[in-house]
Amino acid sequence: MKDFFIFLPLTVVYLAFKAAVFPSLPLPDITLLIVLFVAQKGASVGGALLSFVLGYVDDVFSGAIIGSTSFALALTFGVAYLLSRKVHFSTVAAMAIGSAGLDLFKWVLILAALGLSGVKFPFMPQILLTVTVTGFFAPVILPFFRRLSATKVPGAQRGGER
């Protein structure tokens, strides 16, 4: 539940900034990196729900067909969790390659969902730039998420603790 209070506002602020200031610049895919981070922590209904909600918010801010990114991020959460059981994303190379690969997987799922719904959307070089930038910045952003997640949320005590 703590992840919702940390990552949902962070995503909203980032996507609003991206949509308003840099709409055509390939920036790191923060939603994917959050999904990768949450999936590394373990399988949970909360993590899958957070992935879906972040995808929905991403669709709203990007003007995409509602549900396409939600679908893709929810499936990417499952794949990232399964990968994190075999690969520990602790080295720079593992974070960069893993996040770039998962971002490419997410885009393939989005394009497939759009294709099944009858929307023609070509595979653009912009997608490859975004995948590359996401992989490049992942070794910086993922450790930041670890530190951010370790911070205590004021007033969020568990029952009985004082």
Side-chain angles (χ1 to χ4, degrees):
M1 190 64 162
K2 178 180 170 184
D3 290 337
F4 269 96
F5 294 120
I6 293 173
F7 293 120
L8 188 58
L10 178 70
T11 302
V12 169
V13 169
Y14 176 79
L15 291 174
F17 177 76
K18 181 180 174 184
V21 180
F22 299 114
S24 61
L25 191 67
L27 295 176
D29 190 348
I30 293 295
T31 55
L32 175 98
L33 293 175
I34 291 170
V35 167
L36 174 60
F37 174 74
V38 173
Q40 287 177 9
K41 291 169 64 173
S44 68
V45 174
L49 183 62
L50 177 64
S51 301
F52 183 83
V53 169
L54 292 180
Y56 193 86
V57 170
D58 196 345
D59 285 337
V60 168
F61 277 97
S62 65
I65 294 177
I66 301 295
S68 58
T69 308
S70 299
F71 159 75
L73 280 179
L75 283 180
T76 303
F77 173 80
V79 170
Y81 167 71
L82 292 174
L83 276 175
S84 68
R85 294 178 66 192
K86 299 287 182 189
V87 178
H88 190 60
F89 295 101
S90 60
T91 65
V92 171
M95 284 187 267
I97 293 169
S99 62
L102 285 170
D103 198 22
L104 185 60
F105 176 74
K106 180 196 88 162
W107 278 107
V108 167
L109 287 174
I110 290 171
L111 294 176
L114 292 176
L116 289 173
S117 66
V119 176
K120 300 297 180 206
F121 189 84
F123 192 82
M124 300 183 319
Q126 182 79 10
I127 292 172
L128 292 178
L129 283 173
T130 301
V131 167
T132 304
V133 169
T134 300
F136 183 76
F137 282 100
V140 175
I141 296 171
L142 288 173
F144 170 72
F145 288 164
R146 261 186 228 107
R147 277 184 257 124
L148 190 63
S149 181
T151 59
K152 295 191 184 242
V153 178
Q157 293 180 345
R158 295 206 166 121
E161 292 181 18
R162 293 190 182 155

